[in-house]
């Protein structure tokens, strides 16, 4: 079992940056595919990015490409989401999640077995 705890959210002006972190417990973190999702009020949970267990593969939703970067440090059991050039549409609670393999629909929340509680990101105009 994996427990996930996000941090790094906050209030930022449009055009600013934030770096989210997700700390994982458990010895098997390095075997999991990790993803970031976000959920705005009244909207469904939305895929943002995913990274393979060895960081060789990454996958982004179109709105994140060129602005966000997902990375991981397996020695520290942590996955990161660097977010640049933020805009008000990025306002949401951001969750990290873990799944066992790279196969299948990475964008689907149902494919992830473990979830963190989330961290709030608010972007003001």
């Amino acid at each position: 079992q994996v427990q996930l705890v996000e941090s790094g959210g906050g209030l930022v002006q449009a055009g600013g940056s934030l770096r989210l972190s997700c700390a994982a417990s458990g010895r098997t973190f390095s075997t999991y595919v990790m993803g970031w999702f976000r959920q705005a009020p009244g909207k469904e949970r939305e895929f943002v990015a995913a990274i393979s267990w060895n960081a060789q593969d990454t996958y982004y939703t179109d709105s994140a490409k060129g602005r966000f970067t997902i990375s991981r440090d397996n020695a520290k059991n942590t996955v990161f989401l660097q977010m640049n050039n933020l805009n008000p549409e990025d306002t949401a609670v951001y969750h990290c999640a873990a799944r066992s393999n790279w196969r299948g629909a990475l964008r689907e929340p149902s494919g992830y077995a473990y979830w963190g509680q989330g961290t709030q990101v608010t972007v003001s105009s």
Side-chain angles (χ1 to χ4, degrees):
Q1 190 164 351
V2 178
Q3 292 185 326
L4 304 172
V5 179
E6 302 93 337
S7 61
L11 174 63
V12 63
Q13 288 188 333
S17 299
L18 282 174
R19 189 191 195 203
L20 305 184
S21 299
C22 172
S25 65
R27 299 178 182 178
T28 59
F29 170 78
S30 62
T31 67
Y32 285 94
V33 172
M34 298 300 297
W36 283 98
F37 288 76
R38 65 187 182 186
Q39 189 164 19
K43 294 188 177 181
E44 293 185 353
R45 192 163 292 190
E46 174 190 27
F47 171 79
V48 177
I51 188 167
S52 61
W53 68 273
N54 59 2
Q56 286 192 343
D57 297 295
T58 57
Y59 178 58
Y60 297 90
T61 193
D62 285 346
S63 63
K65 289 178 183 177
R67 299 190 302 131
F68 295 2
T69 303
I70 189 170
S71 61
R72 67 190 297 163
D73 184 340
N74 286 343
K76 296 182 178 179
N77 280 13
T78 304
V79 62
F80 305 98
L81 185 68
Q82 177 67 43
M83 304 187 296
N84 299 327
N85 194 22
L86 287 160
N87 60 63
E89 290 70 36
D90 296 315
T91 295
V93 176
Y94 283 70
H95 299 267
C96 66
R99 58 182 285 155
S100 59
N101 60 69
W102 191 252
R103 297 186 301 274
L106 294 173
R107 308 176 69 94
E108 292 299 323
S110 60
Y112 293 77
Y114 304 104
W115 290 85
Q117 293 291 325
T119 185
Q120 177 71 47
V121 171
T122 303
V123 184
S124 63
S125 58

